[in-house]
Amino acid sequence: MGQRAEELQQIKEQKNISHEEGVHGHVHHHGAHGAGHKHVHSTAEKKAVLNRLSKAIGHLEAVKRMVERDEDCSQVLIQLAAVRSAINNTGKVVLKNHINHCIVEAVEENDQDAIKMLNEAIDKFIK
């Protein structure tokens, strides 16, 4: 087992999680960044993001039904603003998790590609 694999195994054991619960790698259009870039997200972190996304999806489906029922356009716009806010807040949670896990690791490994990609992602997210 390589040094990086051993480190990941130790992290999993310390956090008492399985591979399915939280260790994953990132592969990008130019390949994997870092030496097998893998990090751990807790089950609670993932669950929080998934719950937020499920609520936003449900809210957007409700807005769709409002349009289908020819409800007041002003109310549709207000609800769309609420959906957009929910998506933006979910993005903030994902960004914070990314900084706390991926970027901390990238800085430790001097992975400039990961930092560059974060900057690009922030630019696209904030547009």
Side-chain angles (χ1 to χ4, degrees):
M1 190 179 302
Q3 179 182 4
R4 186 73 186 129
E6 289 174 10
E7 290 172 4
L8 287 171
Q9 185 62 34
Q10 289 174 349
I11 291 170
K12 287 182 353 185
E13 289 170 2
Q14 288 170 355
K15 294 191 177 219
N16 195 26
I17 61 172
S18 68
H19 178 78
E20 292 77 20
E21 289 178 313
V23 177
H24 62 275
H26 288 271
V27 177
H28 305 282
H29 64 279
H30 63 288
H33 64 85
H37 177 75
K38 294 189 184 299
H39 57 274
V40 176
H41 288 289
S42 73
T43 302
E45 288 171 327
K46 276 202 285 189
K47 187 174 182 177
V49 170
L50 291 171
N51 285 343
R52 286 173 174 268
L53 289 171
S54 293
K55 287 179 184 177
I57 290 166
H59 198 156
L60 187 56
E61 288 172 346
V63 174
K64 181 181 175 188
R65 288 189 298 274
M66 289 174 70
V67 172
E68 290 169 344
R69 292 188 305 256
D70 290 320
E71 292 192 25
D72 181 66
C73 295
S74 298
Q75 292 304 309
V76 170
L77 289 170
I78 290 167
Q79 293 308 310
L80 283 172
V83 170
R84 183 175 49 218
S85 177
I87 295 295
N88 286 339
N89 287 330
T90 303
K92 284 193 272 187
V93 170
V94 170
L95 177 59
K96 287 178 182 180
N97 287 343
H98 183 59
I99 289 169
N100 289 330
H101 297 287
C102 307
I103 299 304
V104 166
E105 182 177 315
V107 168
E108 290 171 353
E109 296 176 358
N110 196 26
D111 183 353
Q112 295 301 309
D113 285 341
I115 295 167
K116 178 184 173 196
M117 288 172 27
L118 171 63
N119 284 322
E120 291 171 2
I122 289 171
D123 287 343
K124 289 179 182 178
F125 180 71
I126 292 180
K127 275 187 178 182

